[in-house]
Amino acid sequence: MSKTKLGLLATASALVLSMGAAKADIVIATVGPMTGPYAAFGEQMTKGAEKVVADLNAAGGVNGEQVVLEIGDDACDPKQAVAVANQLVSKDVALVAGHFCSGSSIPASEVYFEEGIVQISPASTNPQLTERDMDNVFRVCGRDDQQGEVAGKYLAEKYGDKKIAIVHDKQAYSKGLADETKKNLNAAGVEEVMYEAITPGEKDYSALVTKLKSEGVDVLYYGGYHTELGLIVRQMRSQGLDTLAISGDALNSLEYWSITGDAGKGTLFTAGPALEKDPRNAELVKYFEAQNYKPEGYTLYTYGAIQAWAQAAEKAGTTDSEAVIEALHSGDEFDTVLGSISFDAKGDVAAPGYVFYEWADGSYDYAK
């Protein structure tokens, strides 16, 4: 073959490669507890992320490029979260919609900040996530100082004359929420009779239950996850305690009732608005229900986090992180399943606050 033909072939190959590179897929990720005791929340995040990516691609992608989803499993373990974050860096991800547990999001965010990767958490509520001058870190959920204020004031107003115990499981989310609730309860002039910490992942909480019983506790406020509280409530009832259990947004999973059974009836918890109840999301909910899946908890919050990023990238005309971060911080509103949302200078969302839910008959609904 002549040198001229070889040269033409090389030029054509280079052109094809460059065209392919120009239209390369955009890689994004969602990261959460895909395994372990909190895997129900990982499933929520995965379902939401898969659906929004499918919807984005069906509508032409982001800036004309298709989106590819990576799923990362941190098992709500800080060390595993950092390892996953470093793996995602090597995959050149444009966005991380995650993590779930604050104890994972915070250390992983150090990696994303160093590498200039946009992080939007659908679920991590510990204030420290957005309090460290990291311009790439955002969340579409509220904060524990907001949630703790709602819970603490509610406890003081409704149960100020009762014996209240505050318990947490030592994790970043759990202790942060318990402490914020305690702070607001105490500020309202009410002191708890007990403040205790447990070890997550255990099966026997009878020592705690015995102490609650001996103190005559009427109301247990629990900072932590549904798996542990489910066992505590079941064990309280088996010891004859009718102590009311109140907790935070990590009770936002039908799995709680599968642990408690009827013992869970009356349990209260705070969380953001139920996006699946918003009439604007009816078609989306119908899609999930056709798949025999209830889009509860953080399913639609994950969907919304990725929506906000995609709209910011469209506004910026690129998925380059600096431009997207600038668009997210612009104060402009993004039209998402959460409604019209914007982010403040810290990366916190301007959106509706926390409301109370009540468990009954295998599910939960807004408390009356």
Side-chain angles (χ1 to χ4, degrees), residues 70-200:
E70 288 278 339
I71 305 294
D73 178 19
D74 64 18
C76 274
D77 175 78
K79 289 181 180 178
Q80 191 165 323
V82 171
V84 171
N86 282 307
Q87 289 167 13
L88 293 175
V89 168
S90 69
K91 293 180 179 180
D92 199 25
V93 298
L95 164 74
V96 174
H99 299 212
F100 176 76
C101 292
S102 295
S104 292
S105 270
I106 292 170
S109 69
E110 302 280 351
V111 177
Y112 305 135
F113 179 67
E114 186 72 26
E115 299 295 332
I117 295 170
V118 179
Q119 177 185 10
I120 308 179
S121 175
S124 293
T125 52
N126 188 291
Q128 282 305 305
L129 179 64
T130 52
E131 289 287 343
R132 294 164 300 145
D133 295 323
M134 294 181 173
D135 64 354
N136 65 310
V137 179
F138 303 83
R139 59 176 137 212
V140 293
C141 58
R143 295 163 48 122
D144 287 332
D145 45 3
Q146 298 166 336
Q147 187 170 196
E149 181 179 4
V150 171
K153 287 180 176 178
Y154 180 88
L155 283 167
E157 180 186 338
K158 300 286 187 181
Y159 305 104
D161 59 343
K162 304 291 185 183
K163 291 185 176 182
I164 300 171
I166 297 176
V167 177
H168 65 81
D169 70 7
K170 308 173 192 171
Q171 299 185 72
Y173 158 73
S174 313
K175 187 177 187 301
L177 179 55
D179 287 349
E180 288 293 341
T181 300
K182 171 180 162 57
K183 182 174 78 176
N184 284 278
L185 177 69
N186 296 162
V190 179
E191 294 291 326
E192 70 280 2
V193 297
M194 255 179 73
Y195 179 89
E196 293 283 325
I198 62 160
T199 301

Side-chain angles (χ1 to χ4, degrees), residues 3 6 18 30 69 116 147 168 175 177 183-184 186 237 255 258 351 359:
K3 288 183 179 179
L6 279 170
S18 67
T30 192
L69 178 66
Q147 187 170 196
H168 65 81
K175 187 177 187 301
L177 179 55
K183 182 174 78 176
N184 284 278
N186 296 162
R237 301 296 178 257
E255 197 173 78
S258 70
W359 277 95

Side-chain angles (χ1 to χ4, degrees), residues 94-322:
L95 164 74
V96 174
H99 299 212
F100 176 76
C101 292
S102 295
S104 292
S105 270
I106 292 170
S109 69
E110 302 280 351
V111 177
Y112 305 135
F113 179 67
E114 186 72 26
E115 299 295 332
I117 295 170
V118 179
Q119 177 185 10
I120 308 179
S121 175
S124 293
T125 52
N126 188 291
Q128 282 305 305
L129 179 64
T130 52
E131 289 287 343
R132 294 164 300 145
D133 295 323
M134 294 181 173
D135 64 354
N136 65 310
V137 179
F138 303 83
R139 59 176 137 212
V140 293
C141 58
R143 295 163 48 122
D144 287 332
D145 45 3
Q146 298 166 336
Q147 187 170 196
E149 181 179 4
V150 171
K153 287 180 176 178
Y154 180 88
L155 283 167
E157 180 186 338
K158 300 286 187 181
Y159 305 104
D161 59 343
K162 304 291 185 183
K163 291 185 176 182
I164 300 171
I166 297 176
V167 177
H168 65 81
D169 70 7
K170 308 173 192 171
Q171 299 185 72
Y173 158 73
S174 313
K175 187 177 187 301
L177 179 55
D179 287 349
E180 288 293 341
T181 300
K182 171 180 162 57
K183 182 174 78 176
N184 284 278
L185 177 69
N186 296 162
V190 179
E191 294 291 326
E192 70 280 2
V193 297
M194 255 179 73
Y195 179 89
E196 293 283 325
I198 62 160
T199 301
E202 293 185 349
K203 300 299 181 190
D204 182 5
Y205 293 107
S206 57
L208 171 66
V209 173
T210 299
K211 190 166 185 180
L212 292 170
K213 192 172 185 177
S214 68
E215 293 284 349
V217 170
D218 301 298
V219 180
L220 165 64
Y221 184 83
Y222 182 71
Y225 297 88
H226 69 289
T227 43
E228 285 78 15
L229 183 59
L231 292 173
I232 292 167
V233 166
R234 205 170 72 194
Q235 290 167 28
M236 284 197 307
R237 301 296 178 257
S238 69
Q239 285 201 34
L241 271 73
D242 59 1
T243 302
L244 172 65
I246 303 179
S247 191
D249 55 320
L251 254 66
N252 217 338
S253 168
L254 291 176
E255 197 173 78
Y256 177 70
W257 193 269
S258 70
I259 298 169
T260 65
D262 290 341
K265 184 176 182 179
T267 300
L268 299 171
F269 70 96
T270 49
L275 303 182
E276 65 272 21
K277 290 179 176 290
D278 189 327
R280 293 172 297 184
N281 298 329
E283 286 301 313
L284 198 51
V285 171
K286 196 180 295 183
Y287 163 82
F288 283 112
E289 288 176 344
Q291 314 295 315
N292 294 314
Y293 181 76
K294 181 182 177 181
E296 62 171 343
Y298 293 97
T299 307
L300 297 187
Y301 280 84
T302 306
Y303 190 107
I306 296 172
Q307 269 185 313
W309 165 83
Q311 289 174 31
E314 290 280 359
K315 179 189 173 187
T318 177
T319 55
D320 176 73
S321 61
E322 283 189 23

